[in-house]
């Protein structure tokens, strides 16, 4: 939603960015709500807990976030739709490795 937000804020003109072949609703994640032309390699944001975080607290936070619907005041205020189970980051790792951004042998 970065492009949409930039248009709304007046930072860029509508139509100044275009999706070459919009896969929205047709790609590996048909529920992803924004136009895109490549496979989705990574989620927008990933949740994580530090090793010493209490497991019950982590589970409670996850349950609370995934219960939020697009109509929920938190989603409206935060300008997001919902929280979902995280996607695999394997695709992102593969892309970074192919671009030599990371050393695949040093895991």
């Amino acid at each position: 939603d970065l492009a949409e937000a930039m248009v709304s804020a007046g930072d860029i003109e509508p139509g100044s960015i275009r999706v070459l072949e919009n896969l929205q609703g047709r790609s590996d994640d048909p529920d992803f709500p924004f136009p895109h032309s490549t496979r989705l390699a990574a989620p927008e944001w990933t949740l994580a807990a530090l090793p010493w975080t209490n497991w019950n607290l982590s589970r409670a936070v996850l349950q609370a976030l995934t219960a939020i619907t697009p109509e929920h005041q938190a989603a409206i205020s935060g300008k997001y739709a919902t929280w979902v189970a995280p996607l695999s980051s394997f695709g992102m790792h593969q892309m970074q490795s192919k671009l030599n951004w990371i050393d695949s042998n040093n895991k």
Side-chain angles (χ1 to χ4, degrees):
D1 67 335
L2 178 62
E4 291 84 356
M6 292 177 74
V7 168
S8 294
D11 295 331
I12 61 173
E13 294 293 321
S16 62
I17 297 176
R18 70 182 176 106
V19 176
L20 298 177
E21 181 182 348
N22 190 1
L23 299 179
Q24 185 175 358
R26 299 185 290 137
S27 68
D28 55 337
D29 186 4
D31 296 326
F32 188 74
F34 305 109
H36 57 284
S37 61
T38 58
R39 269 185 62 240
L40 300 173
E44 288 192 52
W45 299 100
T46 301
L47 290 175
L50 296 170
W52 52 83
T53 304
N54 179 282
W55 186 84
N56 289 325
L57 174 61
S58 295
R59 191 173 83 182
V61 169
L62 177 62
Q63 288 174 339
L65 289 173
T66 56
I68 295 173
T69 63
E71 300 80 23
H72 192 282
Q73 186 57 45
I76 295 167
S77 296
K79 299 182 182 176
Y80 62 88
T82 188
W83 290 86
V84 296
L87 300 172
S88 169
S89 60
F90 183 68
M92 181 62 71
H93 180 81
Q94 284 182 308
M95 179 194 70
Q96 291 171 335
S97 179
K98 287 180 182 178
L99 293 171
N100 293 319
W101 290 356
I102 59 172
D103 180 2
S104 296
N105 297 319
N106 188 9
K107 297 179 182 172

